[in-house]
Amino acid sequence: MITTPRGVHDVLPQDAYKWQHVFDNAQNTARVFGYKQIRFPVFEDTALFTRSIGETTDIVEKEMYTFKDKGGRLLTLTPEGTASVARAYIQHNVQGMWKVFYTAPVFRYERPQSGRYRQHYQFGIEAIGSLDPALDVEVMSLAINFYKSLGLKNLYLSLNSIGCPDCRKKYKEYLVTTFEAQKENICPECQSRLYKNPMRLLDCKSQKCKEIVKGVDKISDYICDGCKEHFNKVKFYLEKMNIPYKMDPFIVRGLDYYTKTVFEVISESLGAQNTLCGGGRYDGLIKELGGKEIPAVGFGAGIERVILVMEEEKVEILKKDMTDIFIVTIGENVYENAVEALYELRSAGISAEMAYDKKSVKTQFKAADNLNAKYCLVIGEDEIKKGVYILKNMTDGTQEEVNKNNILSQLS
Ligand code: HAM
């Protein structure tokens, strides 16, 4: 038997309504904040990601699904959405401010566990074209409102500024010197990335590295006046909007394109994979990809993790896919009337079902119950003779006769 590859999952009909609910809320929150939908391809030129995300990141070094197509092109399944949006901005010669959102599949060859998969979905938003700190806060507040609209509770916004390339240069030099002095105490992976990407050591999960990190200077001690001013304004607006945040001086994020503000939304209802959303500014990316010098900010929010939290916090989700009418037939000779009525109802936009294969009346009512049908339209031989059907309200059990030739006008 062939089953799904490791780390990827089906979403079956009994769960898909939760996904639809999350996507609907994502789309609606994006609309309220003025973001328009973008859809980009599932694969892109590999170079797009190596240049955007950074050669020495885990994603590029270990996690990309890269392959050659039959024409010999080197392609990669999207390991994140920001690079594709930046590419689209440049390729389509967009001018000025561009605010877009996406709900897209993302592929990373990671070690699967609860909340971490090899294909996951992201609700992402990208606001390209302004350096205003109020825009950083718009993006963060959009994320918070999205989670609030879903009824999630135990979460908080974690915030940091990682400065611009200038201030980061000094900080990186400091980190290299500090870690070099204790090189034998850091994990082998960090030893090898120390010179290439020293900031990655700050969020290393190994206990040895964590101990050393506790004692190092924070990036906030190194950021320049411009970055400091920007960050102060971000905090000011967050406070003004009553959006609580916790400073985390060691959030660095796993992608190299970030500048200044970085943030994550953390759920206290999840264990290890508790980052619901991650984002920040990426003021250098459009230029890096061959465009003009255009600042931008955005986030990506994992859909699977949101659903895990909703299940954990027992958030009720209304099932919208109820059947309006289930047709129940009594007697062999009415079957054709039922097929006809079924088509008539559906053509009028009413969701209608019947049990095929001429099942027993009991089985038909059971099927109606399983589908949570609001009404049953009972078609029996006696009724046909009288030119009526019986409409049974499945919530209160009441029933009434409806004219066979005029069902639609009698349904209110
Ligand atoms: P990221 O932090 O790599 O950022 O991913 C964003 C979110 O996607 C994470 O916070 C998490 O909820 C979810 N996620 C990531 N990897 C997995 C996985 N293997 N399984 C399940 N969920 C996962 C980005 O991708 C950036 N493009 C975000 C961004 C947009 N920054 C600016 N604009």
Side-chain angles (χ1 to χ4, degrees):
M1 189 179 57
I2 300 172
T3 57
T4 47
R6 186 165 141 77
V8 300
H9 301 278
D10 295 315
V11 178
L12 298 177
Q14 63 264 33
D15 290 319
Y17 73 96
K18 299 178 198 165
W19 282 68
Q20 194 55 51
H21 178 71
V22 173
F23 284 139
D24 288 349
N25 279 268
Q27 196 148 347
N28 193 47
T29 314
R31 183 187 63 78
V32 169
F33 280 75
Y35 287 72
K36 303 272 185 294
Q37 182 163 193
I38 182 167
R39 301 178 80 91
F40 43 76
V42 163
F43 57 83
E44 301 259 13
D45 275 345
T46 301
L48 173 65
F49 302 118
T50 43
R51 271 170 67 187
S52 308
I53 301 170
E55 304 262 5
T56 55
T57 57
D58 280 354
I59 296 180
V60 170
E61 278 185 343
K62 303 185 232 167
E63 296 170 1
M64 295 207 302
Y65 281 89
T66 297
F67 58 98
K68 266 195 183 151
D69 74 1
K70 294 193 193 325
R73 301 170 193 90
L74 198 59
L75 302 171
T76 295
L77 300 184
T78 49
E80 63 108 38
T82 313
S84 296
V85 173
R87 191 246 332 116
Y89 185 90
I90 302 164
Q91 181 176 338
H92 302 290
N93 200 18
V94 182
Q95 301 295 324
M97 200 59 195
W98 209 39
K99 302 208 308 184
V100 294
F101 80 92
Y102 47 91
T103 44
V106 167
F107 306 87
R108 295 181 189 175
Y109 189 79
E110 291 194 87
R111 204 152 44 82
Q113 65 178 80
S114 171
R116 189 164 70 196
Y117 314 103
R118 290 186 175 166
Q119 174 182 338
H120 70 275
Y121 279 80
Q122 272 187 26
F123 163 43
I125 69 144
E126 314 292 351
I128 303 179
S130 170
L131 245 181
D132 193 328
L135 188 62
D136 307 31
V137 178
E138 169 176 304
V139 166
M140 287 185 261
S141 59
L142 197 165
I144 297 293
N145 278 23
F146 165 57
Y147 295 120
K148 272 194 191 156
S149 76
L150 293 169
L152 304 198
K153 291 197 187 72
N154 306 319
L155 44 84
Y156 62 88
L157 176 67
S158 187
L159 187 67
N160 193 20
S161 171
I162 55 167
C164 60
D166 282 347
C167 31
R168 213 148 56 206
K169 190 164 171 268
K170 287 189 220 120
Y171 187 54
K172 281 183 178 170
E173 281 163 12
Y174 156 77
L175 287 178
V176 170
T177 324
T178 308
F179 286 117
E180 221 172 19
Q182 318 188 48
K183 206 169 168 191
E184 65 287 359
N185 294 327
I186 61 181
C187 77
E189 199 173 350
C190 284
Q191 287 185 13
S192 72
R193 59 189 174 191
L194 174 58
Y195 301 100
K196 288 189 283 183
N197 200 344
M199 286 183 65
R200 297 286 302 143
L201 275 71
L202 298 177
D203 71 346
C204 176
K205 301 288 173 278
S206 110
Q207 210 44 48
K208 280 161 122 187
C209 298
K210 274 187 173 170
E211 280 307 312
I212 300 174
V213 166
K214 274 186 198 160
V216 303
D217 289 353
K218 296 168 183 148
I219 179 111
S220 52
D221 302 329
Y222 290 76
I223 65 174
C224 64
D225 289 346
C227 291
K228 210 173 272 171
E229 197 187 323
H230 182 95
F231 197 44
N232 284 340
K233 256 302 167 0
V234 167
K235 290 188 281 188
F236 169 81
Y237 285 130
L238 283 172
E239 282 152 30
K240 205 143 186 67
M241 289 157 69
N242 278 325
I243 298 177
Y245 61 87
K246 288 188 190 175
M247 284 299 303
D248 179 351
F250 296 124
I251 313 181
V252 291
R253 314 268 309 118
L255 305 102
D256 280 356
Y257 49 61
Y258 289 109
T259 50
K260 296 196 171 87
T261 316
V262 287
F263 66 93
E264 291 179 341
V265 177
I266 311 289
S267 168
E268 288 167 318
S269 296
L270 291 184
Q273 303 303 319
N274 60 357
T275 310
L276 291 187
C277 154
R281 277 211 160 266
Y282 49 95
D283 294 339
L285 181 60
I286 307 276
K287 183 147 190 250
E288 173 63 37
L289 292 176
K292 295 187 195 134
E293 193 161 340
I294 300 199
V297 51
F299 72 71
I303 302 293
E304 289 78 358
R305 292 188 191 175
V306 173
I307 289 174
L308 284 176
V309 178
M310 292 173 83
E311 286 169 352
E312 193 57 38
E313 294 185 2
K314 303 207 169 19
V315 174
E316 291 261 354
I317 307 171
L318 203 64
K319 282 192 190 172
K320 287 200 196 127
D321 54 352
M322 272 176 97
T323 303
D324 293 324
I325 296 189
F326 193 95
I327 298 180
V328 173
T329 56
I330 305 178
E332 286 270 318
N333 302 328
V334 300
Y335 200 76
E336 287 165 14
N337 296 71
V339 174
E340 189 189 346
L342 181 66
Y343 183 69
E344 191 187 341
L345 289 168
R346 287 176 173 168
S347 301
I350 295 169
S351 76
E353 267 297 347
M354 66 180 281
Y356 286 109
D357 300 321
K358 300 182 180 163
K359 298 273 173 22
S360 74
V361 174
K362 194 173 159 203
T363 309
Q364 292 180 71
F365 272 110
K366 196 148 192 265
D369 272 342
N370 287 342
L371 285 174
N372 243 325
K374 287 186 216 152
Y375 293 95
C376 277
L377 188 73
V378 184
I379 305 183
E381 288 172 10
D382 291 348
E383 283 77 29
I384 296 275
K385 279 184 207 143
K386 280 168 63 185
V388 296
Y389 295 146
I390 290 171
L391 188 68
K392 180 172 180 185
N393 183 321
M394 297 300 280
T395 317
D396 60 17
T398 56
Q399 52 186 51
E400 58 177 319
E401 283 185 353
V402 291
N403 191 312
K404 167 181 172 304
N405 296 319
N406 201 7
I407 321 171
L408 293 173
S409 67
Q410 295 168 79
L411 292 172
S412 51

